[in-house]
Amino acid sequence: MRLYAVVAAGGFRRYATYRMATAAGMFTNTVFGFIMAYTYIALWDERPQLGGYDLSQALTYVWLGQALLMTCAMMGGGFEDELMERIRTGDIVIDLYRPVDLQLWWMAGDLGRAAFHLLGRGVVPMVLGALAFDLALPLSPLTWIAFLVSVALGVTVSFAVRFLVALSAFWTMDGAGVAQISWLAGMFFSGMLLPLTLFPGALGEVARALPWSSMLQVPADVLLGKRTGWGLVEAYAFQGGWALALLAAGRALQRAATRRVVVQGG
C-alpha cells in the first residue's frame, strides 16, 4: 500500500506544478458559478422550493457543483486520456508486465489528482460564492466530515467509470467516442446542469439511480442536510455499491484485455 500512497502523492504534486492552469481553472469555475447562480436566482424567484431546495440551498448546490466539477472529473480531464493513448500506442504492454496492479496504480494517481482539484479549484470558488451569496453551509464539523466521505466515494465511482471508458480503447482503438458519451452522461446525470430532484417522473427515478448521481447530487444532499441518520447510511451504501460494482467490472475488463494482449503477442 505504501507504493500506491506514493503514487497518489505524485499525482497531487503533478497537478500542483501547473499553477497558471490552476489559476485559470479557479477563474473559470468562479465565472460559471456566478452565471449559474444568477440563473438559479431567476428560476427560484418564479418557483420557490423547487426540487425541495430553498434559494439558499439551491445557490449552495451551484457552488458545490463548481467545486466538484474537476474533483470528480465530470467533464473528463483525468487519467483516461493518457491511459487510452498508452493502449493505442502499445505502451500498455509495459504497464501490464509491471509488478503492480494496473487498476490500483491509476486509481492512486487519480485520487491524488482529485485531492488537488478539491483544494486547488474547489475551495476558492466556494469561498467566493459564500462571500457573494447567502449559502446554506453547515456549522457542524460532523456534517463536513460526512460530506468529505461522500465526496471520496463519488471520486471512486468517477474513477471506476472512467477506467472502464479507458479500457474500451482495447476494442475501439482510440475510445474517443465512448469518452464523449461518458462526458455527456456525466454532465447530465450527475446533476451538474440541474439538481436531479427537478427531473420529472421516471426520468428522475432513473437519473438518481445511475452512478453519476454519486458525483454531485448525493454529496450535495449530504452537505445540505438532506441525508442524515439512516438516510446517510443509505447514501453511502448507494455510492459504495456502485463503486464496488464498477471496480469489479473494470477488473474483469482488465483481465479480458490482458488475455487479448497475450494472445496477440503470442
Side-chain angles (χ1 to χ4, degrees):
M1 295 303 296
R2 181 180 178 183
L3 170 63
Y4 300 113
V6 172
V7 173
F12 187 98
R13 289 195 301 271
R14 175 183 179 183
Y15 283 87
T17 58
Y18 300 103
R19 297 175 183 175
M20 290 302 298
T22 300
M26 289 182 194
F27 176 78
T28 302
N29 285 134
T30 302
V31 169
F32 275 98
F34 275 99
I35 292 172
M36 293 189 67
Y38 283 111
T39 302
Y40 272 45
I41 289 173
L43 183 58
W44 258 259
D45 281 344
E46 294 295 324
R47 297 283 301 276
Q49 299 298 323
L50 186 61
Y53 300 129
D54 60 27
L55 179 58
S56 181
Q57 291 172 330
L59 291 173
T60 305
Y61 186 97
V62 167
W63 291 101
L64 276 178
Q66 295 306 308
L68 297 181
L69 177 62
M70 287 302 295
T71 302
C72 291
M74 285 177 270
M75 295 179 64
F79 70 96
E80 59 272 20
D81 291 337
E82 182 180 351
L83 180 53
M84 285 190 289
E85 179 63 17
R86 293 187 69 80
I87 293 171
R88 189 187 68 81
T89 60
D91 291 341
I92 190 65
V93 175
I94 300 173
D95 299 336
L96 292 173
Y97 279 102
R98 286 174 177 164
V100 295
D101 184 85
L102 183 71
Q103 187 183 58
L104 289 177
W105 174 277
W106 289 99
M107 183 178 178
D110 196 60
L111 290 176
R113 174 206 61 80
F116 172 76
H117 281 310
L118 182 63
L119 296 173
R121 290 184 59 170
V123 172
V124 172
M126 193 73 186
V127 169
L128 293 175
L131 292 174
F133 302 97
D134 180 22
L135 302 187
L137 297 176
L139 298 178
S140 172
L142 293 178
T143 303
W144 283 102
I145 293 172
F147 165 70
L148 292 176
V149 171
S150 183
V151 169
L153 290 170
V155 170
T156 304
V157 172
S158 172
F159 164 80
V161 170
R162 289 177 289 120
F163 188 69
L164 287 170
V165 169
L167 291 186
S168 72
F170 276 105
W171 290 270
T172 61
M173 292 305 297
D174 62 4
V178 178
Q180 288 183 342
I181 293 172
S182 176
W183 171 72
L184 290 172
M187 285 293 292
F188 187 76
F189 289 113
S190 66
M192 187 66 205
L193 301 178
L194 282 172
L196 300 183
T197 53
L198 271 65
F199 287 23
L203 176 60
E205 294 294 331
V206 171
R208 289 188 290 272
L210 292 174
W212 291 283
S213 65
S214 298
M215 303 176 195
L216 173 56
Q217 183 67 59
V218 175
D221 282 344
V222 171
L223 187 69
L224 292 172
K226 302 290 185 179
R227 302 288 193 117
T228 58
W230 184 249
L232 180 61
V233 174
E234 290 179 336
Y236 288 163
F238 173 80
Q239 291 178 292
W242 269 118
L244 291 174
L246 291 169
L247 288 172
R251 190 160 292 278
L253 199 62
Q254 177 183 319
R255 288 196 294 268
T258 302
R259 288 195 296 270
R260 180 183 176 90
V261 170
V262 170
V263 169
Q264 290 181 345

